[in-house]
Amino acid sequence: MKNSENLENILKNYEDNDKSLLNLDKLLNSGTLGGTGKLVIYPVDQGFEHGPDRSFSSNPDAYDPHYHMQFAIDAGMSAFAAPLGMIESGTKTFSDKIPLILKCNSSNSLTNLSDQALTGNVDDAIRLNCIGVGFTIYPGSEFNLKLIEQACNLFRKAKSAGLITVLWSYPRGKMSKKGETAINIVSYAAHMACLCGAHIIKVKLPTSYLEEDPTKDSFIKNNININNLSERVKVIKRSCFNGKRIVVFSGGEAKNDEEIINEIKAIQEGGGNGSIVGRNCFQRPYNKAIDLIKQIINIYKQ
Ligand code: FBP
């Protein structure tokens, strides 16, 4: 199949307004993976989520927002996603060079609450020349219903303004720590993200663990294959409208090249659409990170 046909097939699965789809098309045609239907997005909201020193002190250049935007361009990434202040500090220099996604809510690790504060909106995204908005929900947390409503409200406005929508769907709260990445829970969270109307769904890579939950039995009764990572990626893609939504997987904590490359191969084999990789880039020296992203891109090109 030619790349252009592949892209057409992906876009055909969305039947909402044409202006958002133009931006989705723009995203899917940017960076080194442009035209392949695959994406590698660079998120830098960890300063908010985990704190600046935990995030950047192993590579102090990464305290500078321009470092990240230039990195995303040099690495051939598809887009750059970040909260308000970071986008504001680079949009004039970079918004015509790489698609920007405004992350519109954020959490922080100084609180124990599994909640997020609203930190951006559609007007900000337009003012800052972004192609889309990003949002996080925590399915299972005591605040999940409010977060879901906020996501839907933001997405409604974003789509009227012709922006694309990306939903980080991270189970948290009610289940055990192990349960946050259990396949039955991640599958549920990914499907909810589709139902919120996200164009792009972002989840963590699921483990083979089945959390004690009413969803567990259907995996056992129906013999759903969850034995290896690529099979689990297939399960997630299937729960996202039978493969009709773009699903990307997060990179997670910094790990060695071999570990991350094996994960990327499994995502590719399972039919995932790509990755959102933050810490595994900026917690490596610049050239090593460029090298890693190039290897990742080559796998997604295959
Ligand atoms: P990483 O590649 O650094 O894991 O980034 C992905 C991401 O979703 C970030 O956008 C976010 O800050 C972080 O993970 C949240 O991680 P956690 O939920 O583990 O705190």
Side-chain angles (χ1 to χ4, degrees):
M1 194 188 295
K2 282 192 291 182
N3 279 341
S4 54
E5 285 168 13
N6 197 8
L7 265 198
E8 244 172 69
N9 285 337
I10 291 175
L11 291 168
K12 236 177 29 203
N13 293 325
Y14 296 84
E15 300 191 12
D16 52 297
N17 69 321
D18 292 342
K19 241 177 106 197
S20 291
L21 296 187
L22 279 180
N23 269 322
L24 190 57
D25 189 51
K26 184 173 170 188
L27 173 67
L28 290 167
N29 276 299
S30 74
T32 314
L33 284 169
T36 63
K38 303 284 169 168
L39 293 167
V40 180
I41 297 175
Y42 186 47
V44 186
D45 59 343
Q46 296 80 352
F48 225 141
E49 303 268 331
H50 308 142
D53 306 311
R54 215 171 126 201
S55 301
F56 307 134
S57 57
S58 59
N59 175 22
D61 290 341
Y63 283 96
D64 178 353
H66 279 217
Y67 172 91
H68 297 290
M69 295 181 220
Q70 191 57 54
F71 173 79
I73 294 163
D74 294 347
M77 298 268 202
S78 315
F80 176 72
L84 189 70
M86 190 163 293
I87 299 278
E88 279 182 343
S89 68
T91 181
K92 276 203 186 125
T93 316
F94 296 103
S95 69
D96 60 340
K97 300 184 182 73
I98 185 158
L100 301 177
I101 296 168
L102 180 68
K103 184 77 204 311
C104 289
N105 67 348
S106 291
S107 185
N108 69 77
S109 60
L110 297 179
T111 173
N112 289 325
L113 301 178
S114 295
D115 196 9
Q116 294 248 336
L118 294 174
T119 52
N121 60 30
V122 168
D123 290 339
D124 293 323
I126 293 166
R127 170 174 65 86
L128 297 170
N129 221 2
C130 298
I131 63 150
V133 292
F135 203 78
T136 296
I137 57 171
Y138 291 141
S141 92
E142 61 184 306
F143 303 103
N144 84 95
L145 300 180
K146 177 207 71 171
L147 289 167
I148 288 170
E149 283 172 17
Q150 288 176 340
C152 292
N153 283 335
L154 176 78
F155 287 0
R156 214 168 279 129
K157 287 185 194 137
K159 288 172 193 169
S160 315
L163 300 175
I164 61 157
T165 57
V166 187
L167 195 52
W168 279 231
S169 190
Y170 287 175
R172 198 155 296 187
K174 179 178 160 259
M175 69 287 303
S176 64
K177 187 79 194 146
K178 221 171 143 193
E180 291 177 358
T181 50
I183 179 70
N184 54 329
I185 302 297
V186 178
S187 170
Y188 197 163
H191 185 73
M192 277 197 269
C194 298
L195 294 175
C196 288
H199 292 108
I200 300 177
I201 289 88
K202 181 194 178 196
V203 287
K204 294 189 180 179
L205 277 168
T207 65
S208 58
Y209 174 66
L210 285 166
E211 173 76 352
E212 286 307 328
D213 176 86
T215 57
K216 178 178 171 179
D217 274 2
S218 42
F219 278 77
I220 296 165
K221 272 198 221 132
N222 298 309
N223 269 327
I224 300 179
N225 185 351
I226 52 169
N227 291 338
N228 62 55
L229 191 52
S230 62
E231 290 301 332
R232 297 194 288 276
V233 167
K234 283 183 202 164
V235 169
I236 301 302
K237 272 295 281 189
R238 192 179 60 175
S239 72
C240 289
F241 295 172
N242 213 11
K244 291 186 169 176
R245 285 292 172 267
I246 297 169
V247 184
V248 294
F249 294 87
S250 50
E253 284 173 17
K255 54 195 94 159
N256 69 39
D257 286 14
E258 195 188 335
E259 280 174 288
I260 190 142
I261 290 297
N262 285 338
E263 288 181 359
I264 303 298
K265 285 182 180 160
I267 297 169
Q268 171 72 345
E269 218 181 294
N273 298 87
S275 296
I276 297 207
V277 190
R279 282 167 285 181
N280 275 285
C281 295
F282 60 71
Q283 292 181 353
R284 276 176 169 70
Y286 199 85
N287 288 336
K288 286 212 156 76
I290 292 276
D291 208 57
L292 177 66
I293 293 302
K294 295 215 157 132
Q295 288 182 59
I296 290 176
I297 285 174
N298 280 335
I299 294 168
Y300 283 136
K301 267 191 187 159
Q302 285 158 19

mmCIF file of all heavy atoms in Angstrom, residues 18-51:
data_model
loop_
_atom_site.group_PDB
_atom_site.id
_atom_site.type_symbol
_atom_site.label_atom_id
_atom_site.label_comp_id
_atom_site.label_asym_id
_atom_site.label_seq_id
_atom_site.Cartn_x
_atom_site.Cartn_y
_atom_site.Cartn_z
ATOM 1 N N ASP A 18 -14.193 19.072 8.804
ATOM 2 C CA ASP A 18 -13.063 19.022 7.877
ATOM 3 C C ASP A 18 -11.864 19.829 8.353
ATOM 4 O O ASP A 18 -10.732 19.477 8.065
ATOM 5 C CB ASP A 18 -13.499 19.534 6.503
ATOM 6 C CG ASP A 18 -14.482 18.565 5.875
ATOM 7 O OD1 ASP A 18 -14.525 17.407 6.331
ATOM 8 O OD2 ASP A 18 -15.213 18.972 4.956
ATOM 9 N N LYS A 19 -12.129 20.911 9.096
ATOM 10 C CA LYS A 19 -11.000 21.757 9.500
ATOM 11 C C LYS A 19 -10.068 21.009 10.464
ATOM 12 O O LYS A 19 -8.854 21.084 10.356
ATOM 13 C CB LYS A 19 -11.523 23.052 10.147
ATOM 14 C CG LYS A 19 -11.088 24.296 9.356
ATOM 15 C CD LYS A 19 -11.645 25.565 9.944
ATOM 16 C CE LYS A 19 -10.567 26.356 10.668
ATOM 17 N NZ LYS A 19 -11.100 27.365 11.581
ATOM 18 N N SER A 20 -10.669 20.264 11.404
ATOM 19 C CA SER A 20 -9.819 19.473 12.307
ATOM 20 C C SER A 20 -9.070 18.412 11.516
ATOM 21 O O SER A 20 -7.908 18.109 11.791
ATOM 22 C CB SER A 20 -10.662 18.766 13.371
ATOM 23 O OG SER A 20 -11.214 19.683 14.261
ATOM 24 N N LEU A 21 -9.767 17.849 10.517
ATOM 25 C CA LEU A 21 -9.113 16.781 9.750
ATOM 26 C C LEU A 21 -7.960 17.323 8.905
ATOM 27 O O LEU A 21 -6.975 16.620 8.669
ATOM 28 C CB LEU A 21 -10.132 16.033 8.889
ATOM 29 C CG LEU A 21 -11.204 15.293 9.716
ATOM 30 C CD1 LEU A 21 -12.083 14.436 8.829
ATOM 31 C CD2 LEU A 21 -10.591 14.427 10.816
ATOM 32 N N LEU A 22 -8.076 18.607 8.507
ATOM 33 C CA LEU A 22 -6.938 19.220 7.785
ATOM 34 C C LEU A 22 -5.727 19.284 8.708
ATOM 35 O O LEU A 22 -4.598 19.018 8.312
ATOM 36 C CB LEU A 22 -7.292 20.641 7.329
ATOM 37 C CG LEU A 22 -8.114 20.771 6.052
ATOM 38 C CD1 LEU A 22 -8.370 22.253 5.751
ATOM 39 C CD2 LEU A 22 -7.370 20.114 4.881
ATOM 40 N N ASN A 23 -5.987 19.635 9.976
ATOM 41 C CA ASN A 23 -4.875 19.684 10.931
ATOM 42 C C ASN A 23 -4.337 18.287 11.244
ATOM 43 O O ASN A 23 -3.139 18.108 11.448
ATOM 44 C CB ASN A 23 -5.307 20.401 12.215
ATOM 45 C CG ASN A 23 -5.023 21.898 12.138
ATOM 46 O OD1 ASN A 23 -4.001 22.309 11.596
ATOM 47 N ND2 ASN A 23 -5.932 22.704 12.666
ATOM 48 N N LEU A 24 -5.247 17.295 11.262
ATOM 49 C CA LEU A 24 -4.783 15.918 11.487
ATOM 50 C C LEU A 24 -3.900 15.485 10.314
ATOM 51 O O LEU A 24 -2.851 14.851 10.499
ATOM 52 C CB LEU A 24 -6.003 14.987 11.650
ATOM 53 C CG LEU A 24 -5.724 13.568 12.113
ATOM 54 C CD1 LEU A 24 -4.977 13.551 13.447
ATOM 55 C CD2 LEU A 24 -7.034 12.779 12.279
ATOM 56 N N ASP A 25 -4.333 15.844 9.128
ATOM 57 C CA ASP A 25 -3.569 15.537 7.920
ATOM 58 C C ASP A 25 -2.189 16.214 7.988
ATOM 59 O O ASP A 25 -1.164 15.614 7.659
ATOM 60 C CB ASP A 25 -4.378 16.042 6.713
ATOM 61 C CG ASP A 25 -3.777 15.587 5.400
ATOM 62 O OD1 ASP A 25 -3.523 14.386 5.267
ATOM 63 O OD2 ASP A 25 -3.542 16.445 4.530
ATOM 64 N N LYS A 26 -2.200 17.487 8.466
ATOM 65 C CA LYS A 26 -0.934 18.227 8.590
ATOM 66 C C LYS A 26 0.016 17.497 9.553
ATOM 67 O O LYS A 26 1.195 17.304 9.261
ATOM 68 C CB LYS A 26 -1.254 19.638 9.115
ATOM 69 C CG LYS A 26 -0.077 20.553 9.211
ATOM 70 C CD LYS A 26 -0.539 21.963 9.565
ATOM 71 C CE LYS A 26 0.654 22.821 9.899
ATOM 72 N NZ LYS A 26 0.252 24.126 10.436
ATOM 73 N N LEU A 27 -0.552 17.061 10.677
ATOM 74 C CA LEU A 27 0.268 16.350 11.656
ATOM 75 C C LEU A 27 0.841 15.062 11.056
ATOM 76 O O LEU A 27 2.020 14.747 11.211
ATOM 77 C CB LEU A 27 -0.596 16.017 12.888
ATOM 78 C CG LEU A 27 0.050 15.123 13.943
ATOM 79 C CD1 LEU A 27 1.203 15.844 14.631
ATOM 80 C CD2 LEU A 27 -0.974 14.697 14.981
ATOM 81 N N LEU A 28 -0.019 14.333 10.363
ATOM 82 C CA LEU A 28 0.411 13.045 9.807
ATOM 83 C C LEU A 28 1.374 13.202 8.631
ATOM 84 O O LEU A 28 1.916 12.220 8.136
ATOM 85 C CB LEU A 28 -0.811 12.224 9.386
ATOM 86 C CG LEU A 28 -1.675 11.691 10.547
ATOM 87 C CD1 LEU A 28 -3.011 11.175 10.045
ATOM 88 C CD2 LEU A 28 -0.944 10.585 11.301
ATOM 89 N N ASN A 29 1.527 14.429 8.172
ATOM 90 C CA ASN A 29 2.472 14.668 7.080
ATOM 91 C C ASN A 29 3.719 15.395 7.545
ATOM 92 O O ASN A 29 4.522 15.818 6.736
ATOM 93 C CB ASN A 29 1.796 15.469 5.956
ATOM 94 C CG ASN A 29 1.036 14.532 5.036
ATOM 95 O OD1 ASN A 29 1.633 13.640 4.421
ATOM 96 N ND2 ASN A 29 -0.274 14.693 4.960
ATOM 97 N N SER A 30 3.876 15.540 8.852
ATOM 98 C CA SER A 30 5.049 16.300 9.310
ATOM 99 C C SER A 30 6.126 15.376 9.875
ATOM 100 O O SER A 30 5.861 14.221 10.207
ATOM 101 C CB SER A 30 4.627 17.349 10.336
ATOM 102 O OG SER A 30 4.344 16.704 11.527
ATOM 103 N N GLY A 31 7.344 15.902 9.944
ATOM 104 C CA GLY A 31 8.472 15.145 10.487
ATOM 105 C C GLY A 31 8.920 14.033 9.543
ATOM 106 O O GLY A 31 8.373 13.852 8.453
ATOM 107 N N THR A 32 9.887 13.270 9.995
ATOM 108 C CA THR A 32 10.452 12.217 9.132
ATOM 109 C C THR A 32 9.426 11.131 8.828
ATOM 110 O O THR A 32 9.493 10.471 7.804
ATOM 111 C CB THR A 32 11.685 11.584 9.822
ATOM 112 O OG1 THR A 32 12.500 12.640 10.323
ATOM 113 C CG2 THR A 32 12.491 10.740 8.871
ATOM 114 N N LEU A 33 8.471 10.927 9.737
ATOM 115 C CA LEU A 33 7.460 9.883 9.500
ATOM 116 C C LEU A 33 6.277 10.390 8.671
ATOM 117 O O LEU A 33 5.317 9.655 8.444
ATOM 118 C CB LEU A 33 6.970 9.311 10.835
ATOM 119 C CG LEU A 33 7.951 8.343 11.511
ATOM 120 C CD1 LEU A 33 7.512 8.044 12.939
ATOM 121 C CD2 LEU A 33 8.086 7.048 10.719
ATOM 122 N N GLY A 34 6.350 11.657 8.229
ATOM 123 C CA GLY A 34 5.252 12.240 7.452
ATOM 124 C C GLY A 34 4.820 11.316 6.317
ATOM 125 O O GLY A 34 5.647 10.807 5.573
ATOM 126 N N GLY A 35 3.528 11.081 6.225
ATOM 127 C CA GLY A 35 2.988 10.283 5.130
ATOM 128 C C GLY A 35 2.912 8.794 5.411
ATOM 129 O O GLY A 35 2.358 8.032 4.620
ATOM 130 N N THR A 36 3.444 8.336 6.553
ATOM 131 C CA THR A 36 3.468 6.887 6.815
ATOM 132 C C THR A 36 2.292 6.414 7.673
ATOM 133 O O THR A 36 2.085 5.213 7.832
ATOM 134 C CB THR A 36 4.763 6.481 7.559
ATOM 135 O OG1 THR A 36 4.753 7.141 8.837
ATOM 136 C CG2 THR A 36 6.004 6.865 6.788
ATOM 137 N N GLY A 37 1.567 7.351 8.275
ATOM 138 C CA GLY A 37 0.498 6.956 9.199
ATOM 139 C C GLY A 37 1.043 6.685 10.598
ATOM 140 O O GLY A 37 0.311 6.285 11.499
ATOM 141 N N LYS A 38 2.333 6.884 10.781
ATOM 142 C CA LYS A 38 2.961 6.694 12.100
ATOM 143 C C LYS A 38 3.405 8.049 12.634
ATOM 144 O O LYS A 38 3.630 8.994 11.872
ATOM 145 C CB LYS A 38 4.184 5.776 11.974
ATOM 146 C CG LYS A 38 3.873 4.413 11.377
ATOM 147 C CD LYS A 38 3.184 3.508 12.365
ATOM 148 C CE LYS A 38 2.652 2.268 11.660
ATOM 149 N NZ LYS A 38 2.233 1.223 12.555
ATOM 150 N N LEU A 39 3.539 8.107 13.956
ATOM 151 C CA LEU A 39 3.852 9.380 14.615
ATOM 152 C C LEU A 39 4.848 9.174 15.749
ATOM 153 O O LEU A 39 4.771 8.168 16.454
ATOM 154 C CB LEU A 39 2.605 9.908 15.329
ATOM 155 C CG LEU A 39 1.390 10.359 14.543
ATOM 156 C CD1 LEU A 39 0.226 10.514 15.510
ATOM 157 C CD2 LEU A 39 1.695 11.678 13.885
ATOM 158 N N VAL A 40 5.733 10.140 15.919
ATOM 159 C CA VAL A 40 6.480 10.196 17.183
ATOM 160 C C VAL A 40 6.340 11.626 17.692
ATOM 161 O O VAL A 40 6.777 12.581 17.048
ATOM 162 C CB VAL A 40 7.971 9.826 17.023
ATOM 163 C CG1 VAL A 40 8.676 9.901 18.372
ATOM 164 C CG2 VAL A 40 8.123 8.409 16.487
ATOM 165 N N ILE A 41 5.662 11.755 18.816
ATOM 166 C CA ILE A 41 5.402 13.086 19.390
ATOM 167 C C ILE A 41 6.314 13.276 20.604
ATOM 168 O O ILE A 41 6.572 12.330 21.362
ATOM 169 C CB ILE A 41 3.909 13.217 19.782
ATOM 170 C CG1 ILE A 41 3.034 13.104 18.517
ATOM 171 C CG2 ILE A 41 3.639 14.545 20.492
ATOM 172 C CD1 ILE A 41 1.535 13.097 18.786
ATOM 173 N N TYR A 42 6.788 14.507 20.776
ATOM 174 C CA TYR A 42 7.690 14.813 21.893
ATOM 175 C C TYR A 42 6.925 15.626 22.944
ATOM 176 O O TYR A 42 6.561 16.778 22.688
ATOM 177 C CB TYR A 42 8.869 15.600 21.326
ATOM 178 C CG TYR A 42 9.986 15.901 22.298
ATOM 179 C CD1 TYR A 42 10.505 14.924 23.136
ATOM 180 C CD2 TYR A 42 10.559 17.172 22.344
ATOM 181 C CE1 TYR A 42 11.542 15.207 23.999
ATOM 182 C CE2 TYR A 42 11.606 17.463 23.211
ATOM 183 C CZ TYR A 42 12.096 16.475 24.042
ATOM 184 O OH TYR A 42 13.131 16.753 24.903
ATOM 185 N N PRO A 43 6.635 15.032 24.125
ATOM 186 C CA PRO A 43 5.913 15.773 25.165
ATOM 187 C C PRO A 43 6.882 16.296 26.222
ATOM 188 O O PRO A 43 7.734 15.562 26.705
ATOM 189 C CB PRO A 43 5.058 14.662 25.803
ATOM 190 C CG PRO A 43 5.964 13.462 25.750
ATOM 191 C CD PRO A 43 6.872 13.628 24.554
ATOM 192 N N VAL A 44 6.739 17.564 26.567
ATOM 193 C CA VAL A 44 7.571 18.034 27.686
ATOM 194 C C VAL A 44 6.676 18.763 28.690
ATOM 195 O O VAL A 44 6.574 19.990 28.707
ATOM 196 C CB VAL A 44 8.763 18.902 27.207
ATOM 197 C CG1 VAL A 44 9.666 19.230 28.408
ATOM 198 C CG2 VAL A 44 9.586 18.160 26.158
ATOM 199 N N ASP A 45 5.990 17.951 29.497
ATOM 200 C CA ASP A 45 5.198 18.479 30.606
ATOM 201 C C ASP A 45 5.680 17.878 31.924
ATOM 202 O O ASP A 45 5.070 18.066 32.961
ATOM 203 C CB ASP A 45 3.697 18.163 30.409
ATOM 204 C CG ASP A 45 3.417 16.675 30.298
ATOM 205 O OD1 ASP A 45 4.360 15.886 30.054
ATOM 206 O OD2 ASP A 45 2.258 16.276 30.458
ATOM 207 N N GLN A 46 6.801 17.156 31.852
ATOM 208 C CA GLN A 46 7.285 16.464 33.057
ATOM 209 C C GLN A 46 7.740 17.441 34.122
ATOM 210 O O GLN A 46 7.729 17.117 35.312
ATOM 211 C CB GLN A 46 8.411 15.473 32.692
ATOM 212 C CG GLN A 46 7.988 14.332 31.792
ATOM 213 C CD GLN A 46 7.912 14.728 30.314
ATOM 214 O OE1 GLN A 46 8.036 15.889 29.960
ATOM 215 N NE2 GLN A 46 7.705 13.753 29.461
ATOM 216 N N GLY A 47 8.159 18.663 33.728
ATOM 217 C CA GLY A 47 8.536 19.676 34.720
ATOM 218 C C GLY A 47 7.361 19.974 35.640
ATOM 219 O O GLY A 47 7.524 20.205 36.840
ATOM 220 N N PHE A 48 6.166 19.975 35.059
ATOM 221 C CA PHE A 48 4.926 20.153 35.833
ATOM 222 C C PHE A 48 4.609 18.871 36.616
ATOM 223 O O PHE A 48 4.373 18.907 37.835
ATOM 224 C CB PHE A 48 3.770 20.438 34.875
ATOM 225 C CG PHE A 48 2.869 21.569 35.299
ATOM 226 C CD1 PHE A 48 2.365 22.463 34.349
ATOM 227 C CD2 PHE A 48 2.508 21.738 36.626
ATOM 228 C CE1 PHE A 48 1.526 23.504 34.719
ATOM 229 C CE2 PHE A 48 1.670 22.780 37.005
ATOM 230 C CZ PHE A 48 1.175 23.659 36.050
ATOM 231 N N GLU A 49 4.613 17.763 35.919
ATOM 232 C CA GLU A 49 4.124 16.497 36.497
ATOM 233 C C GLU A 49 5.063 15.923 37.566
ATOM 234 O O GLU A 49 4.604 15.326 38.525
ATOM 235 C CB GLU A 49 3.929 15.458 35.391
ATOM 236 C CG GLU A 49 2.985 15.899 34.279
ATOM 237 C CD GLU A 49 1.533 15.490 34.501
ATOM 238 O OE1 GLU A 49 1.303 14.465 35.148
ATOM 239 O OE2 GLU A 49 0.636 16.205 34.014
ATOM 240 N N HIS A 50 6.382 16.081 37.338
ATOM 241 C CA HIS A 50 7.351 15.447 38.256
ATOM 242 C C HIS A 50 8.312 16.446 38.887
ATOM 243 O O HIS A 50 9.101 16.078 39.751
ATOM 244 C CB HIS A 50 8.181 14.390 37.513
ATOM 245 C CG HIS A 50 7.371 13.380 36.759
ATOM 246 N ND1 HIS A 50 7.747 12.877 35.538
ATOM 247 C CD2 HIS A 50 6.179 12.783 37.040
ATOM 248 C CE1 HIS A 50 6.833 12.018 35.105
ATOM 249 N NE2 HIS A 50 5.864 11.945 35.989
ATOM 250 N N GLY A 51 8.320 17.681 38.417
ATOM 251 C CA GLY A 51 9.255 18.692 38.941
ATOM 252 C C GLY A 51 10.438 18.874 38.000
ATOM 253 O O GLY A 51 10.863 17.924 37.340
#
